[in-house]
Amino acid sequence: DIQSYDLIFVGFWADRGSADEQTAQFLAGLHHARVALFATAGVYPDSDHARQCLDNAAGLLPPDNQVAGRYICQGRVDPEVVKRVAARFPAGHPHSMTPERKARLAEASRHPNEKDFQKARQFALRTAAAAEGK
């Protein structure tokens, strides 16, 4: 019974600016829970888009829940998704494969890495301690 826990960590990969479909359904079904969200995304973790992904995922929770913390790091984007995006959006489109986008995706392919895992551990420890009132 997941509802009996004091704190629930929910991890997901960001998809279209929010949690992936399976996680979105899970979040929508939680009630009266303290939830810590953590995610990977193909974007830089300090970007507005990364923050928006976490905000959108938090918005999937019914209002009787409390978000106890958030963490996001870069993550590899499936090469098939990259191919589909490249084929779908022509040059000049906001989602086209610009040199900057290609560089970001190349960087994302090296994540999550050990540094990301260390930051995630620190996030989890801080969040759990705060939940316990320490």
Side-chain angles (χ1 to χ4, degrees):
D1 177 19
I2 197 156
Q3 297 291 160
S4 68
Y5 288 93
D6 295 329
L7 176 62
I8 303 167
F9 283 84
V10 179
F12 60 92
W13 61 278
D15 183 26
R16 299 178 190 158
S18 190
D20 64 274
E21 183 64 31
Q22 184 177 7
T23 304
Q25 290 176 10
F26 178 78
L27 291 171
L30 286 176
H31 291 281
H32 307 289
R34 190 177 312 170
V35 181
L37 299 170
F38 65 100
T40 62
V43 299
Y44 296 115
D46 60 350
S47 69
D48 288 339
H49 186 71
R51 284 186 289 278
Q52 192 64 46
C53 288
L54 290 170
D55 289 346
N56 290 341
L60 297 169
L61 287 163
D64 59 340
N65 292 285
Q66 175 190 357
V67 177
R70 304 167 189 214
Y71 173 77
I72 193 167
C73 70
Q74 264 191 310
R76 178 182 162 272
V77 178
D78 184 329
E80 290 302 314
V81 171
V82 173
K83 284 181 191 176
R84 284 196 308 266
V85 169
R88 183 174 176 193
F89 299 109
H93 187 280
H95 295 295
S96 67
M97 282 298 159
T98 62
E100 295 82 8
R101 184 178 299 263
K102 289 177 183 179
R104 179 179 44 78
L105 290 169
E107 176 63 25
S109 71
R110 296 187 285 274
H111 291 270
N113 60 28
E114 188 55 40
K115 188 174 181 179
D116 298 320
F117 295 140
Q118 289 173 1
K119 288 180 180 180
R121 280 191 289 275
Q122 292 167 356
F123 158 75
L125 291 171
R126 276 193 319 271
T127 305
E132 292 177 1
K134 294 181 181 177

